[in-house]
Amino acid sequence: MAKSDIYHQLVIQCASHEYPIYIGNQLLTDVELLRRHVIANQVLIVTNNTIAPLYLAAIKQAFAGMQCDEVVLPDGEQHKNQHSLSVIYDALIQSRHHRDTTLIALGGGVIGDITGFAAATYQRGVRFIQLPTTLLAQVDASVGGKTAINHQTGKNMIGSFHQPQAVIMDLNALSTLPQREFRAGLGEVIKYGLLVGGEFLNTLDELLSDERFTFSSPALADLIARCCQIKAGFVEEDEKETGRRALLNLGHTFAHALEAYTHYQRWLHGEAVAIGLYCATLLSWQMGYIESTTLALVDSLLNKAKLPSRIPKDIDLIHLQALMFNDKKISNKMLRVVLIRRPGDCYLESGVPEESLRQVLMNAVEGE
Ligand SMILES: NC(=O)c1ccc[n+]([C@@H]2O[C@H](COP(=O)([O-])OP(=O)(O)OC[C@H]3O[C@@H](n4cnc5c(N)ncnc54)[C@H](O)[C@@H]3O)[C@@H](O)[C@H]2O)c1
Ligand SMILES: [Zn+2]
């Protein structure tokens, strides 16, 4: 078995709890590391039927000799729901998991979010470990302690904040990830680039300009670590999203509406975020905050990452706009959108006029 290599070890320091993030190679086969944050003699691994054949056996092997149960859910965002949650609770109760058990989320953001919420609520909260296997989950979903399931009326409508004991990111897991999923993760990476600007944005531009940039690029470990640090910076300051953490929603008011409009079928989350980033930048430009060069930069980054950036022609903009007003990040019926003053300087605008929004949606349509 290949030896594991930890390239980065970060510590997330929230008011409620402190925990490590490990980034490296072959970490999913590192028995000592996997067991390090388990305190009792029982674990429940939650994964899905795409990931199970690839990685479940290795994880189970690490917990040989203790009670190791598993729940293999069907794959897909549509299963991030109450039914999947009940399946997890049933397994925990039937197999008599105690308060000191550890849930292990093996998969992308969907598995991480459901498992985290199950851990947050089972017996008023038990431990869990994130083993994120998508780029999106590594740079975003597994960090910060937001957990949730969807309700038929909206995404992530039921959830809570619950920080994991540890996040273990194995870069090798990305080798089996479809290219499209990898690129979707880059949507969130570009979001971080706009949030912090500076050197990170330049490095990102260089990496994306290189045709050979892929999951096995040596620069990827540093890129992921930097993204985790950026997200950690926002989370540590504002764990429960009462202020600055909301900036992480850059592009997301648009993305959530696009996802809801298409019933989560048409775009991957990171792809919808990519279109959302373009819309948010266009709105910032339209409101006179940024130069057209920044708009061109965002367009070019999304292009280099081979991500969509425009709203397809068949989308009914009136319906889309109505969905934006349904987003739960609305207070006092005013639309709140994260806007860009310049890369590295974003802020939450709480009074976007309906007319400006309408204009932006029209101008973001493909071919316009
Ligand atoms: N909690 C948060 O802060 C947060 C932040 C961002 C996104 N999210 C949530 O994350 C979800 C999106 O996450 P995602 O993009 O990881 O999607 P996902 O979990 O659906 O994974 C994408 C696809 O890749 C497959 N897969 C995962 N790892 C693989 C691997 N190593 N090899 C082959 N296939 C693999 C999955 O089975 C799935 O089909 C959304 O539900 C979103 O709401 C949460
Ligand atoms: Zn996102």
Side-chain angles (χ1 to χ4, degrees):
M1 194 175 288
K3 202 181 152 305
S4 67
D5 271 316
I6 297 175
Y7 300 137
H8 291 278
Q9 183 173 340
L10 318 171
V11 178
I12 307 289
Q13 285 167 318
C14 291
S16 63
H17 170 62
E18 189 179 296
Y19 60 96
I21 296 180
Y22 307 94
I23 303 168
N25 271 327
Q26 308 292 351
L27 302 192
L28 293 187
T29 54
D30 185 331
V31 176
E32 189 281 319
L33 180 65
L34 290 168
R35 292 175 85 127
R36 196 179 292 173
H37 299 277
V38 172
I39 50 167
N41 225 10
Q42 49 181 199
V43 295
L44 175 85
I45 306 168
V46 181
T47 189
N48 73 24
N49 55 2
T50 302
I51 300 153
L54 299 168
Y55 304 108
L56 181 58
I59 309 301
K60 277 170 72 171
Q61 213 177 351
F63 296 108
M66 63 167 79
Q67 183 191 342
C68 175
D69 297 305
E70 65 194 54
V71 166
V72 180
L73 298 169
D75 190 357
E77 177 80 37
Q78 71 274 25
H79 299 291
K80 190 173 133 178
N81 60 16
Q82 292 185 62
H83 176 70
S84 297
L85 192 63
S86 294
V87 172
I88 299 173
Y89 293 143
D90 290 350
L92 286 164
I93 292 164
Q94 271 158 22
S95 304
R96 299 176 188 281
H97 280 257
H98 306 299
R99 288 221 56 212
D100 54 5
T101 190
T102 305
L103 270 61
I104 298 183
L106 170 66
V110 167
I111 290 296
D113 276 11
I114 310 176
T115 310
F117 188 57
T121 44
Y122 180 63
Q123 298 201 7
R124 298 194 189 88
V126 296
R127 302 160 68 87
F128 87 114
I129 296 174
Q130 292 268 22
L131 306 180
T133 59
T134 64
L135 179 62
L136 186 130
Q138 294 187 347
V139 298
D140 187 2
S142 69
V143 181
K146 272 192 182 178
T147 74
I149 56 168
N150 300 327
H151 184 261
Q152 65 217 29
T153 59
K155 198 171 152 66
N156 299 331
M157 288 302 263
I158 304 161
S160 78
F161 289 91
H162 190 59
Q163 304 288 346
Q165 296 303 314
V167 187
I168 301 173
M169 303 183 180
D170 190 341
L171 299 169
N172 297 98
L174 302 179
S175 65
T176 52
L177 190 66
Q179 268 299 315
R180 186 178 168 199
E181 295 286 351
F182 181 76
R183 287 197 295 266
L186 292 174
E188 301 281 2
V189 176
I190 295 172
K191 175 190 81 179
Y192 292 125
L194 295 172
L195 286 174
V196 299
E199 207 39 51
F200 179 69
L201 193 56
N202 296 339
T203 308
L204 183 60
D205 194 20
E206 273 167 34
L207 284 177
L208 295 179
S209 303
D210 183 351
E211 278 293 321
R212 293 159 304 172
F213 176 69
T214 174
F215 65 85
S216 56
S217 297
L220 192 62
D222 291 348
L223 187 77
I224 293 173
R226 187 73 183 99
C227 290
C228 293
Q229 269 167 346
I230 296 167
K231 180 153 185 190
F234 284 95
V235 171
E236 286 170 355
E237 215 176 291
D238 176 24
E239 188 179 350
K240 300 277 165 74
E241 195 172 312
T242 51
R244 244 177 84 71
R245 184 171 180 166
L247 298 185
L248 290 169
N249 291 318
L250 179 61
H252 280 62
T253 308
F254 296 94
H256 289 161
L258 287 162
E259 288 181 298
Y261 184 113
T262 54
H263 305 284
Y264 304 95
Q265 299 293 314
R266 184 158 176 174
W267 291 288
L268 301 175
H269 175 67
E271 292 171 338
V273 167
I275 302 175
L277 288 176
Y278 181 75
C279 292
T281 315
L282 191 62
L283 182 55
S284 308
W285 176 68
Q286 210 174 267
M287 290 178 79
Y289 295 129
I290 55 167
E291 304 287 329
S292 59
T293 48
T294 305
L295 183 59
L297 172 71
V298 172
D299 206 17
S300 116
L301 286 169
L302 295 170
N303 245 313
K304 286 174 188 169
K306 301 185 179 65
L307 284 165
S309 59
R310 301 300 197 275
I311 301 171
K313 280 196 165 68
D314 59 291
I315 301 283
D316 176 49
L317 299 183
I318 294 171
H319 182 191
L320 185 66
Q321 185 161 347
L323 285 169
M324 290 183 71
F325 278 89
N326 275 341
D327 194 275
K328 66 184 178 310
K329 287 172 194 78
I330 291 176
S331 62
N332 306 329
K333 295 265 172 219
M334 293 291 276
L335 188 63
R336 299 166 74 201
V337 182
V338 182
L339 295 182
I340 305 170
R341 282 199 200 96
R342 60 179 170 80
D345 183 10
C346 296
Y347 79 104
L348 190 59
E349 169 65 62
S350 46
V352 175
E354 246 184 281
E355 178 52 24
S356 304
L357 187 66
R358 201 180 67 84
Q359 280 291 333
V360 158
L361 295 179
M362 273 167 50
N363 293 335
V365 171
E366 61 187 0
E368 293 300 313

